[in-house]
Amino acid sequence: MATYLEFIQQNEERDGVRFSWNVWPSSRLEATRMVVPLDCLLTPLKERLDLPPVQYEPVLCSRPTCKAVLNPLCQVDYRAKLWACNFCFQRNQFPPAYAGISEVNQPAELMPQFSTIEYILQRGPQTSLIFLYVVDTCLEEEDLQALKESLQMSLSLLPPNALVGLITFGRMVQVHELSCEGISKSYVFRGTKDLTAKQIQDMLGLTKPAVPVQQGRPPQPQEQPVISSRFLQPVHKIDMNLTDLLGELQRDPWPVTQGKRPLRSTGVALSIAVGLLEGTFPNTGARIMLFTGGPPTQGPGMVVGDELKTPIRSWHDIEKDNARFMKKATKHYETLANRTAANGHCIDIYACALDQTGLLEMKCCANLTGGYMVMGDSFNTSLFKQTFQRVFSKDFNGEFRMAFGATLEVKTSRELKIAGAIGPCISLNAKGPCVSENEFGVGGTCQWKICSLDPSSTLAVYFEVVNQHNAPIPQCGRGAVQFVTQYQHSSTQRRIRVTTVARNWADAQSQLQHIEAAFDQEAAAVLMARLGVYRAESEEGPDVLRWLDRQLIRLCQKFGQYNKDDPNSFRLSDSFSLYPQFMFHLRRSPFLQVFNNSPDESSYYRHHFARQDLTQSLIMIQPILYSYSFYGPPEPVLLDSSSILADRILLMDTFFQIVIYLGETIAQWRKAGYQDMPEYENFKHLLQAPLDDAQEILQTRFPMPRYINTEHGGSQARFLLSKVNPSQTHNNLYAWGQVSNGIATAVWGRKEVHIQSPIHISPFCLLFNYLALDIYAIALSSTWTSTAITKLPVWKP
Amino acid sequence: MCPFMQFIEGGRKYQCGFCNCVNDVLPFYFQHLDHIGRRVDHYERPELSLGSYEYVATLDYCRNNKPPQPPAYIFMIDVSYSNIKSGLVKLICDELKTVLDRLPREEHEEASAIRVGFVTYNKVLHFFNVKSNLAQPQMMVVSDVGEVFVPLLDGFLVNFQESRSVINNLLDQIPEMFADTNESETVFAPVIQAGMEALKAAECAGKLFIFHSSLPTAEAPGKLKNRDDKKLVNTDKEKTLFQPQTNFYETLAKDCVASGCCVDLFLFPNQYVDVASMGIVTMHTGGTLYKYNNFQVHSDNHQFLNDLKKDIEKRIGFDAIMRVRTSTGFRATDFFGAIYMNNTTDVEMAVVDCDKAVTVEFKHDDKLNEDSGALIQCAVLYTSLGGERRLRIHNIGLNCSSQLADVYKSCETDALTNFFAKSAFKAILSQPLKTVREILVNQTARMLACYRKNCASPSAVSQLILPDAMKVLPVYMNSLLKNCVLVGRPEIPMDERAFHRQAILAMDVADSQLFFYPQLLPVHTTDAKSDAFPSAVRCSEERLSEGGVFFLADGLHMFLWLGVNAPPELIQGIFNVPSFAHISTESTQLPELENPYSKKIRSIIDQIQSKRPYTMKLVIVKQREQPEMVFRQFLMEDKSVYGGVSYVDFLCCVNKEICQLLN
């Protein structure tokens, strides 16, 4: 029999689903005792090379409250041409087209290997994808130039029939008309006045059907709606015009006096972009791409005033309730985000500036609509340029890795209910029999809208076992979950992907070891982390940490084996061994710690954490560290200061940063130029190896990470030192905070300030000792003792 | 400082002629006095020796204490369906290309400092970026007419010479750009607001040239509805027709004046456009209102283009403020003209040009001194074409007399007419037409009765005696009473009345004189070879003859009347057609022919035209044809078709009044 690890991997590859528990506790009571809830990570559009879509429509269960899709778990009576829904047990007649089926002639959706299947729908009008650029012109000349070039370049990457539009903003907002010949024409709006969608459409002349001004073309039949408005035109028709127009874009011409920020009307610009698409193309795939080089400084959605002497809000200001504009601005962007989501459009934010740009306030625009959020220092960096290009990357079939206007519907067996989802989605408020009253994340619904998603977009879906303790499930019973994702493919087809999965039930009292063995600690860590991060958005940081600690302690208590008062007897089985480590690093991660991060950075990190797939999420929680040396092939090492050795090169991947760190000796050798000497060619190879590996990551990751190449004693080494567990301070038996060696100093220099008072130490501190987690260390400095280090398993992605 | 200041104490002090206050002479201004008590430098200093002179004002006299920016002209063209269709837009654009080369400039400067900007509009506003470094002009549409703003700063107001190619490009494209428009609704107030905001943003004074054709019915501030209600004519409510529909425009006018923004309005109406509402901004900002009814490009282009040319080339002062000071005993109490009064003493004018006159009413508030006379000083602070702040001072000293006969002798009837017309036209806003008319007749009678009572030698009671200087007063008064503004007849379009009212309120004495008593020139009796100007004849039908050709002009209209038996050689000479029957009355211009008759009549027309602010459209009228009716209204001494009395009847009526007063 395959191990659970293999089983989990297979399932992930086939269905894009990772459950925290792969054998399910059979009653509500038992499930709550498992500490980690029953939940899963779902990558709805996971790239599948071996999944040819079928060209017909799915067969649905006829019960109006169910409407589950026919799947391999259904019982089929081939003779009577009937099938029983495995969710509601309704017996359904096959449609006439299925008259020829038999045991040997099964339709694809009944074959077990097609637990995930994709249907292409033929109905519905096919509309082109829409890309609306919203460009800030209050940039430095150099930045604007770089941005202009990137945008011009992007025109060649768009699908040729895609519609493209351009809005620029500074003090005013200009909506550029793209169809006209000769004179360039734009509609201008005041940057301080918020307009309703209706007003915007009136002012843009969109309320009346635009009279097509295309001459020399045969008149189109009137019943077809005029698909192209003056502001959105097919790329192939106007790419020359638009290239020129972009080329002529000037910096915002309004004078900015000394000591002032330029007036930037981001709020109104976005509002107009949303209104424009709302009026012209509701419910068709569209991306609003906002490029901004600074914070909004006027009008609705302003984040900071134009006086340079008042800095933009920090976490400190927010805690002190000193962020004047934050609430109003957030509300403005939230309203916009919700409208956008209701229209099925998405908003990307590309913010490049050295200071904050208001991502904290604007985050919901990207978070609720599934848009991207990219943060950089300047548009003139490869980080932005490469990342932006990657938005338009294509898969093996030459299709864009983007999908639009998706709805995810989840159906469950009767014993399960849906508690919520966390990811780039909004609730569709679809109540149903399988919706739980308890909410985890975005709950109270069994349907969510995901306005934009790519093959790696991953949602966390939380369930609740509702089966009562006294209503046992028969042995070998299986619980099933069906995910139905309807979306607009980048080829503009409407598609439906259906994934149906089932797991065994087990009685937690008699079969705990089965449940335990089927625990997916990686998935569980990410799912718990998502819950934690989700809570951190609305709750105080320390509360969340305390909650996480408590969960961890409870889990260890439940599944750890130990003899009372004997720390060394504590054992966790293999399937749990990495979990405490993940939680440790999660506590220190920027997702939960705001110290040393600006509100914008926190928003940015959290945004990516809430949408990436399992592997990437784990890298974010616990960065991976590879060590390169002469002693063998590169190997993953503990993210601990003990791994920093003089004769090693380290490659750290934190998802957002790639750090290459040369140990002291290596750095000296390189300085001495050994790599250029033919007799030390192996040193040259050693130096090159991490560079090559880093390149590989840089090539594929979205957004492109910050690439840092540093060495022992370099100032950039802080990126590494801030992440590793500073165990060496204990090892050296020096008192707290005393200088022992360079590394320890550096590490202690970044000691977190969120110190919990010992009063909150739970009665399970003893347990923590068993766990080899020094509770005082956790509580006071978030470090691990060295005694633990040697015992810790190394996580390999 | 003016010639009325009396230097005393050896030149160390001076006494103000107006208030008699004694002031110290500042050291830098000190000069010794000669033997008759005059300063030694009397003739070297204009302010001591001349009646009118001009100062370059110091920063204290400038807005915000900053030297003013050169002014700007903004051309705002209505590109709605009717204007495109009639070819007007193309006409304007073509003309602007050449006429912008002739923007007025200071004498000593080579090029005009005035910057130009362009806006087109229908229901929304289109601004144009015509920055010189652009290959193509850029158009920016502002559709938020509810709260209009200027979308660009840099590149909107430009120097024409620098941006010539971009501007020409733009002017070429405008007619094409809107060629297939079907937008017929327009806005109006937001257009003015936009222009004003643009000038404000550029921190300069300036003038808007608005070319507009229809009632602004689109949803926007200052939206107007058609209220041409014939039923109100001749009722107490008639005055409301002369008032703007909403007070929005008055507020707007105030704002415009405050920011030194003048509005020149060229109207091309095909139907009622509510001149009373639309024109009010123009009137209060010192602008000129031009109106071309049923504009046809082929027949009216000459008139319009000349007006436009003249208006652009006109020498004007911007952002002006005038104050009239008097010596003790009397004071200025009322001001009439294309002005805005924020308080009772300061006359504010966004723009003042050479054709605008302000009529000032003075009243006694004390006894005047016969020895010192009455002194009047008028000071106008304005920004010149080149953007220089200047102060122009006019001084006049008048004699006083206790003899009424002397007063009557020195009276100037033309000025009186101007005053009566303006005050009457102002009064109709608040009083019923009938009352105003009665007051006018009454005042005429009282003036004459007063003369008769106090000055004239005794004679029969029924005999009408007119003072020498006032002998034409009754004919002017009659003409004023017959003017369409004061005649409530449903046949007369309300717009026409409002237009006349507005035009006359801004007129100077010479213009109003001509307007109320048109020049009627017999052409047929003029010696074509001599340079002499024909002498005018009285405006009465009796003077016309079947064999004659007469020319009539009143400053707004111009007619060539042809008797049925007009001399054929004259007709041949002027029109180059063989006979009376061949003459086309369609034409609005005389053909340029190389013969004495043609040259003569054209020179007469040119001479009359050159002195008048408005270009007159020539109407050729044949005797006994329908259009003659229009012409006859201008024969002031005759009975008018709209019920105005003839001169003789009016004299009788006035005489009756006088008799009553004397008894």
Side-chain angles (χ1 to χ4, degrees):
Chain A
M1 184 198 155
T3 64
Y4 269 111
L5 272 179
E6 284 163 352
F7 172 78
I8 290 167
Q9 202 176 356
Q10 268 176 16
N11 265 294
E12 185 182 15
E13 268 167 27
R14 194 178 61 221
D15 297 329
V17 178
R18 291 269 299 245
F19 275 96
S20 53
W21 302 99
N22 288 292
V23 170
W24 295 345
S26 59
S27 74
R28 179 197 279 267
L29 189 67
E30 290 301 333
T32 47
R33 285 189 185 149
M34 296 293 144
V35 185
V36 173
L38 173 57
D39 40 20
C40 75
L41 282 169
L42 169 71
T43 310
L45 297 190
K46 189 171 174 56
E47 222 163 280
R48 285 276 307 272
L49 293 176
D50 53 345
L51 184 70
V54 296
Q55 300 274 351
Y56 51 83
E57 306 224 348
V59 176
L60 304 183
C61 171
S62 60
R63 191 188 290 264
T65 52
C66 177
K67 288 196 170 168
V69 180
L70 177 63
N71 61 70
L73 302 174
C74 295
Q75 287 196 347
V76 178
D77 182 342
Y78 289 102
R79 225 158 317 139
K81 306 283 183 260
L82 289 174
W83 62 280
C85 172
N86 61 326
F87 293 99
C88 68
F89 307 113
Q90 167 88 4
R91 293 173 71 78
N92 299 290
Q93 197 79 40
F94 275 106
Y98 284 66
I101 60 167
S102 67
E103 280 91 340
V104 287
N105 183 19
Q106 288 182 348
E109 63 263 39
L110 287 178
M111 297 178 190
Q113 69 267 37
F114 286 107
S115 57
T116 292
I117 190 165
E118 187 151 313
Y119 301 88
I120 296 181
L121 301 192
Q122 309 298 335
R123 60 191 142 100
Q126 299 212 346
T127 44
S128 321
L129 300 184
I130 299 159
F131 296 85
L132 179 56
Y133 294 158
V134 183
V135 182
D136 178 7
T137 54
C138 297
L139 301 175
E140 294 300 318
E141 197 59 68
E142 195 184 303
D143 255 26
L144 183 62
Q145 192 54 39
L147 177 57
K148 273 153 61 171
E149 281 163 15
S150 282
L151 293 177
Q152 286 170 334
M153 177 277 307
S154 73
L155 296 181
S156 64
L157 301 176
L158 294 175
N161 62 344
L163 303 181
V164 60
L166 177 66
I167 294 177
T168 57
F169 66 95
R171 183 167 165 153
M172 312 269 170
V173 180
Q174 289 187 37
V175 185
H176 295 267
E177 194 169 295
L178 300 175
S179 60
C180 53
E181 299 290 316
I183 218 162
S184 71
K185 197 170 165 188
S186 59
Y187 282 67
V188 189
F189 294 84
R190 201 189 272 273
T192 50
K193 189 176 170 188
D194 197 14
L195 300 162
T196 63
K198 173 84 173 44
Q199 282 172 313
I200 291 167
Q201 285 149 24
D202 276 349
M203 288 177 185
L204 290 174
L206 298 173
T207 26
K208 277 178 282 179
V211 181
V213 271
Q214 301 135 346
Q215 276 129 6
R217 278 180 89 204
Q220 294 183 338
Q222 278 304 303
E223 58 271 19
Q224 214 181 18
V226 186
I227 54 152
S228 58
S229 81
R230 287 161 295 155
F231 306 102
L232 296 162
Q233 290 279 316
V235 174
H236 63 88
K237 261 174 75 185
I238 48 107
D239 61 345
M240 291 295 283
N241 272 2
L242 190 53
T243 307
D244 292 348
L245 187 61
L246 285 168
E248 276 198 7
L249 266 193
Q250 297 292 317
R251 292 178 61 196
D252 195 46
W254 296 85
V256 179
T257 43
Q258 191 96 43
K260 298 260 187 185
R261 293 188 177 91
L263 289 174
R264 195 180 270 112
S265 330
T266 321
V268 173
L270 263 186
S271 161
I272 289 170
V274 171
L276 170 61
L277 289 179
E278 193 170 60
T280 46
F281 295 96
N283 300 316
T284 15
R287 287 202 102 84
I288 296 169
M289 305 174 103
L290 171 70
F291 302 88
T292 182
T297 47
Q298 70 166 359
M302 79 184 272
V303 165
V304 66
D306 65 340
E307 289 283 349
L308 266 176
K309 65 178 182 230
T310 40
I312 191 165
R313 79 275 172 289
S314 63
W315 277 122
H316 185 73
D317 294 330
I318 294 170
E319 272 164 34
K320 290 258 147 39
D321 208 14
N322 255 346
R324 294 182 46 206
F325 304 108
M326 189 180 77
K327 283 216 178 83
K328 242 178 112 186
T330 309
K331 187 146 183 281
H332 174 77
Y333 293 111
E334 261 170 18
T335 319
L336 282 183
N338 282 316
R339 267 171 60 195
T340 313
N343 297 323
H345 305 140
C346 79
I347 301 177
D348 291 351
I349 303 174
Y350 304 87
C352 286
L354 289 168
D355 197 5
Q356 298 189 73
T357 54
L359 287 182
L360 172 72
E361 285 80 357
M362 293 191 273
K363 65 184 174 201
C364 48
C365 290
N367 287 349
L368 299 185
T369 65
Y372 297 124
M373 191 191 279
V374 175
M375 192 172 81
D377 290 343
S378 156
F379 288 110
N380 199 14
T381 53
S382 59
L383 189 147
F384 166 72
K385 291 179 190 171
Q386 301 276 330
T387 305
F388 182 50
Q389 271 192 36
R390 241 161 256 172
V391 172
F392 304 103
S393 65
K394 293 182 180 176
D395 65 11
F396 306 98
N397 301 324
E399 308 272 19
F400 288 91
R401 290 175 206 260
M402 52 175 90
F404 294 94
T407 51
L408 168 67
E409 188 175 1
V410 183
K411 296 176 198 305
T412 58
S413 305
R414 284 172 181 175
E415 299 81 11
L416 274 184
K417 283 199 173 183
I418 302 152
I422 297 178
C425 60
I426 58 160
S427 161
L428 280 174
N429 280 324
K431 306 267 186 264
C434 54
V435 176
S436 161
E437 281 168 10
N438 298 326
E439 287 190 22
F440 280 123
V442 185
T445 177
C446 60
Q447 287 181 22
W448 294 267
K449 192 160 190 174
I450 316 163
C451 294
S452 163
L453 69 174
D454 57 47
S456 71
S457 301
T458 301
L459 277 85
V461 185
Y462 297 86
F463 301 98
E464 194 181 20
V465 178
V466 290
N467 195 43
Q468 290 304 321
H469 194 61
N470 47 15
I473 296 169
Q475 287 286 316
C476 304
R478 302 180 91 194
V481 179
Q482 187 170 62
F483 303 100
V484 182
T485 314
Q486 299 198 36
Y487 68 99
Q488 184 188 349
H489 191 253
S490 66
S491 63
T492 74
Q493 290 162 335
R494 291 295 310 180
R495 293 191 180 189
I496 298 180
R497 190 184 279 215
V498 180
T499 297
T500 317
V501 292
R503 294 290 185 270
N504 289 329
W505 293 108
D507 178 31
Q509 272 159 352
S510 56
Q511 295 168 305
L512 187 63
Q513 71 283 9
H514 283 159
I515 297 177
E516 209 180 308
F519 181 64
D520 182 346
Q521 51 183 339
E522 293 179 339
V526 174
L527 285 158
M528 286 305 274
R530 280 215 185 178
L531 265 183
V533 172
Y534 184 84
R535 293 178 67 155
E537 294 274 37
S538 51
E539 289 172 38
E540 294 278 322
D543 292 348
V544 178
L545 293 183
R546 221 170 295 136
W547 173 78
L548 274 177
D549 288 348
R550 217 165 37 239
Q551 299 298 314
L552 175 60
I553 294 165
R554 283 181 55 205
L555 188 80
C556 292
Q557 190 190 24
K558 171 90 183 169
F559 296 102
Q561 289 172 358
Y562 53 94
N563 304 327
K564 214 161 187 267
D565 298 329
D566 180 5
N568 292 323
S569 69
F570 184 80
R571 291 282 176 280
L572 271 174
S573 66
D574 282 351
S575 56
F576 289 87
S577 58
L578 291 166
Y579 189 81
Q581 222 182 119
F582 291 138
M583 287 298 120
F584 169 75
H585 285 287
L586 176 64
R587 298 177 94 268
R588 312 176 75 224
S589 70
F591 311 114
L592 295 180
Q593 299 286 353
V594 297
F595 175 74
N596 216 25
N597 283 314
S598 67
D600 273 13
E601 283 169 324
S602 298
S603 305
Y604 174 64
Y605 294 141
R606 286 173 183 173
H607 164 85
H608 283 286
F609 187 69
R611 60 179 299 146
Q612 291 294 341
D613 64 14
L614 180 128
T615 313
Q616 306 295 338
S617 299
L618 278 181
I619 294 175
M620 288 189 226
I621 295 174
Q622 178 172 354
I624 38 176
L625 193 62
Y626 286 101
S627 172
Y628 297 76
S629 70
F630 286 123
Y631 312 115
E635 51 169 4
V637 290
L638 261 189
L639 188 62
D640 189 279
S641 50
S642 61
S643 304
I644 303 175
L645 298 172
D647 56 350
R648 306 284 161 103
I649 303 176
L650 296 176
L651 170 67
M652 182 178 73
D653 179 4
T654 73
F655 185 84
F656 298 104
Q657 293 129 5
I658 303 282
V659 182
I660 294 178
Y661 173 91
L662 307 184
E664 196 171 3
T665 322
I666 303 270
Q668 280 164 1
W669 286 346
R670 192 180 63 163
K671 213 171 179 187
Y674 283 109
Q675 69 277 21
D676 301 327
M677 300 180 194
E679 61 268 40
Y680 294 105
E681 212 189 341
N682 59 342
F683 179 60
K684 189 179 167 188
H685 290 313
L686 181 66
L687 281 180
Q688 191 58 39
L691 295 180
D692 292 343
D693 290 350
Q695 274 313 316
E696 211 167 286
I697 301 171
L698 288 171
Q699 289 306 321
T700 51
R701 177 148 316 148
F702 181 92
M704 186 166 139
R706 184 191 290 267
Y707 181 41
I708 297 148
N709 210 333
T710 186
E711 59 181 31
H712 173 80
S715 72
Q716 304 258 53
R718 65 179 191 277
F719 286 103
L720 171 69
L721 301 180
S722 66
K723 292 289 179 204
V724 296
N725 171 41
S727 63
Q728 297 250 311
T729 43
H730 292 278
N731 237 1
N732 295 337
L733 295 174
Y734 283 93
W736 297 86
Q738 269 192 352
V739 180
S740 58
N741 58 36
I743 294 163
T745 322
V747 170
W748 279 107
R750 276 191 39 85
K751 192 178 81 174
E752 272 84 355
V753 289
H754 283 282
I755 296 173
Q756 295 177 335
S757 80
I759 297 162
H760 294 297
I761 295 168
S762 71
F764 286 102
C765 67
L766 193 65
L767 171 70
F768 261 90
N769 268 319
Y770 295 145
L771 248 177
L773 281 167
D774 182 342
I775 187 64
Y776 291 102
I778 282 252
L780 296 171
S781 69
S782 303
T783 59
W784 290 27
T785 54
S786 57
T787 45
I789 302 297
T790 48
K791 294 181 185 170
L792 285 173
V794 177
W795 174 65
K796 302 183 194 86
Chain B
M1 188 54 58
C2 73
F4 301 136
M5 302 300 179
Q6 201 68 47
F7 285 87
I8 50 176
E9 292 187 27
R12 269 174 294 138
K13 293 200 166 161
Y14 67 91
Q15 185 173 24
C16 171
F18 294 93
C19 64
N20 297 327
C21 175
V22 176
N23 302 293
D24 289 333
V25 175
L26 292 173
F28 74 90
Y29 200 70
F30 177 78
Q31 190 61 257
H32 292 288
L33 304 184
D34 65 8
H35 59 285
I36 52 165
R38 221 165 41 184
R39 279 168 63 117
V40 177
D41 61 355
H42 183 84
Y43 290 105
E44 287 153 32
R45 290 193 173 265
E47 74 270 27
L48 298 182
S49 53
L50 299 177
S52 297
Y53 44 89
E54 204 162 79
Y55 286 104
V56 174
T58 56
L59 280 185
D60 302 338
Y61 289 93
C62 299
R63 214 174 259 271
N64 306 330
N65 288 341
K66 271 195 276 185
Q69 299 276 330
Y73 283 177
I74 303 177
F75 298 90
M76 315 182 99
I77 306 167
D78 169 2
V79 289
S80 61
Y81 177 78
S82 61
N83 277 3
I84 293 287
K85 199 79 183 163
S86 69
L88 177 66
V89 175
K90 189 166 166 40
L91 185 72
I92 297 169
C93 291
D94 287 346
E95 183 65 14
L96 283 180
K97 275 187 254 178
T98 54
V99 82
L100 286 181
D101 264 331
R102 312 221 293 247
L103 288 172
R105 56 185 164 84
E106 301 268 19
E107 276 95 356
H108 57 271
E109 275 169 20
E110 270 182 26
S112 173
I114 292 174
R115 291 171 296 164
V116 291
F118 301 87
V119 171
T120 59
Y121 65 94
N122 39 43
K123 241 167 80 179
V124 297
L125 277 75
H126 320 111
F127 290 75
F128 293 94
N129 184 349
V130 282
K131 208 170 160 181
S132 55
N133 58 9
L134 289 175
Q136 280 267 343
Q138 289 173 349
M139 172 169 169
M140 296 183 170
V141 185
V142 171
S143 30
D144 186 2
V145 287
E147 210 180 313
V148 82
F149 60 94
V150 192
L152 76 170
L153 191 61
D154 192 27
F156 178 59
L157 295 176
V158 294
N159 184 310
F160 175 66
Q161 306 298 342
E162 285 168 13
S163 295
R164 179 189 297 269
S165 65
V166 190
I167 291 177
N168 284 345
N169 186 335
L170 169 69
L171 293 172
D172 281 338
Q173 289 200 39
I174 287 176
E176 289 168 30
M177 219 176 334
F178 300 99
D180 43 10
T181 184
N182 47 13
E183 186 58 72
S184 55
E185 284 194 311
T186 54
V187 292
F188 182 64
V191 180
I192 299 179
Q193 283 174 323
M196 181 177 79
E197 293 295 332
L199 294 177
K200 251 193 213 167
E203 294 181 331
C204 67
K207 186 143 108 164
L208 314 179
F209 294 78
I210 302 183
F211 306 91
H212 192 90
S213 71
S214 56
L215 197 66
T217 50
E219 201 52 63
K223 173 185 168 174
L224 296 177
K225 47 182 189 291
N226 192 337
R227 53 153 187 180
D228 191 11
D229 192 351
K230 304 269 188 219
K231 282 192 221 97
L232 291 184
V233 172
N234 273 330
T235 65
D236 281 358
K237 282 193 179 151
E238 187 169 4
K239 63 187 179 203
T240 58
L241 295 178
F242 288 102
Q243 292 163 348
Q245 269 185 43
T246 64
N247 58 7
F248 181 84
Y249 283 99
E250 295 204 50
T251 324
L252 183 59
K254 187 177 167 185
D255 294 342
C256 281
V257 172
S259 48
C261 164
C262 163
V263 178
D264 272 1
L265 184 57
F266 294 79
L267 278 176
F268 306 89
N270 290 323
Q271 54 200 4
Y272 180 70
V273 293
D274 200 349
V275 172
S277 298
M278 294 181 66
I280 193 143
V281 180
T282 304
M283 181 152 81
H284 284 318
T285 58
T288 314
L289 176 68
Y290 300 90
K291 185 158 158 287
Y292 311 93
N293 294 335
N294 301 316
F295 184 82
Q296 303 288 329
V297 167
H298 60 88
S299 59
D300 299 326
N301 68 345
H302 171 74
Q303 183 193 13
F304 162 60
L305 294 181
N306 275 335
D307 275 341
L308 178 60
K309 237 181 271 173
K310 223 188 250 182
D311 197 31
I312 291 176
E313 291 169 15
K314 219 185 253 186
R315 301 193 58 79
I316 59 178
F318 299 89
D319 200 6
I321 184 159
M322 182 178 93
R323 186 172 283 186
V324 176
R325 303 187 180 95
T326 56
S327 56
T328 47
F330 73 117
R331 63 190 165 87
T333 52
D334 213 350
F335 301 85
F336 310 96
I339 54 170
Y340 183 78
M341 302 283 298
N342 212 1
N343 51 37
T344 52
T345 52
D346 291 338
V347 178
E348 291 179 51
M349 294 168 285
V351 148
V352 55
D353 65 42
C354 49
D355 299 319
K356 298 285 183 298
V358 179
T359 305
V360 186
E361 184 182 6
F362 294 101
K363 273 191 183 145
H364 288 77
D365 56 0
D366 203 349
K367 265 193 144 173
L368 290 176
N369 188 336
E370 256 179 278
D371 300 334
S372 56
L375 307 181
I376 302 171
Q377 183 181 63
C378 162
V380 187
L381 180 67
Y382 71 101
T383 304
S384 76
L385 290 167
E388 196 175 55
R389 201 72 178 148
R390 292 185 188 167
L391 187 57
R392 184 176 287 194
I393 314 273
H394 300 285
N395 297 296
I396 188 170
L398 297 171
N399 289 330
C400 300
S401 166
S402 55
Q403 294 299 312
L404 269 182
D406 291 341
V407 177
Y408 272 96
K409 243 182 247 169
S410 67
C411 144
E412 191 190 329
T413 313
D414 292 348
L416 268 183
T417 315
N418 183 286
F419 166 72
F420 278 123
K422 287 190 181 182
S423 64
F425 287 177
K426 193 173 177 182
I428 56 172
L429 287 187
S430 49
Q431 287 167 335
L433 218 54
K434 218 171 120 214
T435 325
V436 175
R437 292 174 61 89
E438 274 166 12
I439 292 173
L440 279 178
V441 176
N442 205 273
Q443 274 185 321
T444 317
R446 275 174 55 197
M447 272 195 294
L448 298 177
C450 175
Y451 176 76
R452 173 136 186 198
K453 198 165 147 193
N454 300 315
C455 314
S457 48
S459 56
V461 178
S462 61
Q463 194 185 344
L464 178 67
I465 299 175
L466 300 176
D468 205 35
M470 272 192 195
K471 62 186 173 194
V472 289
L473 183 69
V475 74
Y476 281 135
M477 287 310 252
N478 185 30
S479 171
L480 170 60
L481 289 169
K482 285 202 293 192
N483 183 271
C484 65
V485 181
L486 295 184
V487 175
R489 290 291 290 242
E491 308 84 301
I492 310 174
M494 195 57 221
D495 274 351
E496 203 59 29
R497 297 172 69 187
F499 170 66
H500 276 171
R501 172 174 177 268
Q502 189 163 340
I504 290 157
L505 273 174
M507 271 186 187
D508 63 13
V509 173
D511 285 332
S512 66
Q513 184 269 328
L514 183 69
F515 180 77
F516 287 114
Y517 199 86
Q519 246 178 341
L520 182 63
L521 303 175
V523 179
H524 57 288
T525 56
T526 326
D527 182 0
K529 295 186 182 64
S530 81
D531 288 338
F533 201 72
S535 49
V537 296
R538 293 175 62 170
C539 288
S540 165
E541 201 182 343
E542 294 161 27
R543 304 285 162 164
L544 302 177
S545 58
E546 289 195 349
V549 174
F550 288 87
F551 175 79
L552 182 139
D554 78 337
L556 296 176
H557 312 84
M558 188 159 75
F559 297 92
L560 191 63
W561 183 88
L562 304 161
V564 279
N565 292 330
E569 72 273 15
L570 200 58
I571 290 173
Q572 176 70 44
I574 297 173
F575 296 100
N576 201 18
V577 289
S579 75
F580 181 78
H582 286 88
I583 299 171
S584 153
T585 53
E586 297 285 293
S587 142
T588 55
Q589 261 178 298
L590 295 178
E592 291 191 20
L593 302 172
E594 277 302 312
N595 66 59
Y597 295 116
S598 175
K599 276 185 185 167
K600 180 70 195 173
I601 187 143
R602 281 187 288 118
S603 91
I604 292 173
I605 294 175
D606 286 348
Q607 259 187 56
I608 293 179
Q609 181 64 76
S610 65
K611 292 178 199 148
R612 306 275 78 91
Y614 290 95
T615 306
M616 295 170 276
K617 175 172 150 187
L618 181 69
V619 180
I620 294 164
V621 181
K622 289 186 184 175
Q623 192 181 6
R624 289 179 203 142
E625 282 190 11
Q626 182 59 32
E628 205 185 0
M629 291 296 286
V630 184
F631 172 72
R632 276 166 190 268
Q633 288 168 43
F634 293 87
L635 299 175
M636 290 304 171
E637 298 197 13
D638 297 344
K639 213 171 155 196
S640 146
V641 280
Y642 294 130
V645 293
S646 71
Y647 178 41
V648 179
D649 293 344
F650 181 70
L651 275 183
C652 294
C653 161
V654 169
N655 198 19
K656 237 185 266 166
E657 292 267 325
I658 295 172
C659 295
Q660 265 175 10
L661 283 172
L662 288 178
N663 295 333

